[in-house]
Amino acid sequence: ETADKTGNHRVSAFAMNPENGEILAMVSWPTYDNNEFINGINQKKYSAYLDNPDNPLFNRVISGLYPPGSTVKLIVAAAALEEDIITKNTSINSVGGIDVGGTFYKDWKAGGHGITNVAKALAWSVNSFFYYVGGGYKNFIGLGIDRLDKYFSIFGLGQKTAIDIPGESAGFIPSKDWKLKAKGESWYVGDTYNVSIGQGDLLVTPLQVGVWTAAVANGGYLVTPHLIQKIVDPVTKKVTDLNFPKKHIDDISNRNLETVRQGMRDCVTLGSCKQLGALSFQAAGKTGTAQWSKTHPTHAWFTSFAPYQNPKIVVT
């Protein structure tokens, strides 16, 4: 309905159990009728799918590559806490953006958000806070791109999740060496600012966003997303249960993840996710917007988990 109202007809969404990676629902829209392929689809229908500019045969959840926008701030916040760049009480004054050498890196809110700690920065998606902790500003020392890249890798960016269907994309993590080789340019602090808010050359799949949301929700476990639960032999009726591994992120303490979780909860109670406050249970979320073209609409993101105290579902 929203897609029809806005005219944005390319949508993906999925729901997953954050405890074990079970995919509960997956939608890539526009879609196609599976039944048409059972006995061989005719050329006219197949050509119609191929010629559709909205690419209905493309599974955006696992194959689409997009800048993550502010959803990546969950990782940046966890990294900054773990590296002692900040504590949960560290605050900066958001005044609408920061000026570096004549280039203005702005907040989405004109005039800024005022005094901001990490929970508020997540709840209201305050760019200035993440410019500070990602790239540093004046006397404030930030993570820098090398440490950012380290934590992106820790949370599964730039690599496949190993979901049990074909066609998954790995995404991309930009680096100093890559930029020098690919573009013949040095890495600048502005590049780090952009990456710190999920812009620039950083690319992820929606599935990866859901997996790192699950890691925040479940206390630091990277699950393996999967659609198959078990295999039943049609003749012998023998049941084979399948095991899908999950890996604990030892590099992030649960105390620091709890601070990130609190920021996601504050997004619902105080911040940009307030519409979820109408639910009958406590939820936590993170909004995001990613600009990728001067002539096309921005990507709109939302990732979440619920219930807050014992998460059973992630929706991205």
Side-chain angles (χ1 to χ4, degrees):
E1 183 181 345
T2 301
D4 281 336
K5 285 180 180 177
T6 61
N8 295 324
H9 292 150
R10 301 177 182 184
V11 181
S12 68
F14 76 99
M16 182 178 70
N17 184 334
E19 294 182 331
N20 57 21
E22 288 179 346
I23 299 292
L24 308 174
M26 181 184 288
V27 176
S28 180
W29 193 71
T31 188
Y32 59 92
D33 185 354
N34 284 314
N35 294 314
E36 294 177 347
F37 288 83
I38 292 175
N39 295 313
I41 190 170
N42 67 55
Q43 188 61 48
K44 182 179 179 181
K45 287 183 177 179
Y46 189 56
S47 294
Y49 283 136
L50 293 178
D51 295 338
N52 187 328
D54 290 327
N55 300 317
L57 298 179
F58 183 64
N59 187 338
R60 290 177 167 79
V61 175
I62 70 167
S63 303
L65 290 175
Y66 314 100
S70 294
T71 63
V72 85
K73 292 173 181 175
L74 303 177
I75 298 175
V76 178
L81 288 161
E82 195 66 31
E83 292 288 322
D84 294 323
I85 298 292
I86 57 170
T87 70
K88 66 179 182 179
N89 299 316
T90 302
S91 296
I92 65 108
N93 187 21
S94 165
V95 295
I98 61 174
D99 188 291
V100 179
T103 301
F104 191 70
Y105 297 89
K106 63 182 181 179
D107 283 314
W108 61 264
K109 181 181 179 182
H113 301 262
I115 301 300
T116 302
N117 63 11
V118 64
K120 180 179 177 180
L122 290 169
W124 287 102
S125 209
V126 182
N127 285 345
S128 286
F129 187 89
F130 291 95
Y131 296 147
Y132 271 77
V133 301
Y137 184 61
K138 294 184 177 178
N139 295 326
F140 189 97
I141 305 300
L143 286 160
I145 189 60
D146 292 338
R147 283 193 287 187
L148 281 169
D149 284 353
K150 169 190 168 183
Y151 283 92
F152 291 156
S153 295
I154 286 169
F155 276 90
L157 282 71
Q159 54 204 286
K160 295 180 179 180
T161 69
I163 191 171
D164 52 351
I165 50 176
E168 182 181 13
S169 297
F172 181 71
I173 302 174
S175 67
K176 294 176 182 176
D177 288 344
W178 164 79
K179 188 183 180 191
L180 191 59
K181 291 176 183 177
K183 299 185 178 183
E185 299 173 358
S186 297
W187 188 273
Y188 299 108
V189 68
D191 297 315
T192 307
Y193 290 156
N194 283 331
V195 169
S196 298
I197 62 168
Q199 302 275 180
D201 294 297
L202 185 65
L203 293 173
V204 302
T205 65
L207 185 65
Q208 289 171 329
V209 177
V211 168
W212 82 60
T213 302
V216 171
N218 67 24
Y221 287 90
L222 285 176
V223 296
T224 302
H226 58 279
L227 292 97
I228 300 173
Q229 186 179 57
K230 59 188 176 183
I231 297 173
V232 181
D233 189 296
V235 177
T236 66
K237 306 302 179 186
K238 179 185 176 182
V239 177
T240 303
D241 290 314
L242 301 178
N243 294 314
F244 294 90
K246 63 180 181 180
K247 175 187 175 185
H248 188 258
I249 302 174
D250 296 328
D251 305 79
I252 306 284
S253 72
N254 193 53
R255 179 189 63 186
N256 288 333
L257 287 176
E258 178 54 42
T259 300
V260 178
R261 285 193 289 273
Q262 184 62 57
M264 293 184 71
R265 177 62 186 151
D266 289 352
C267 187
V268 174
T269 58
L270 304 167
S272 58
C273 312
K274 237 179 174 178
Q275 284 178 304
L276 289 188
L279 294 172
S280 61
F281 49 86
Q282 291 188 341
K286 182 74 194 78
T287 55
T289 303
Q291 184 177 359
W292 62 286
S293 168
K294 292 181 179 179
T295 57
H296 291 81
T298 56
H299 293 296
W301 285 96
F302 180 70
T303 193
S304 58
F305 67 85
Y308 180 62
Q309 289 301 341
N310 190 17
K312 298 297 183 184
I313 189 170
V314 162
V315 177
T316 300

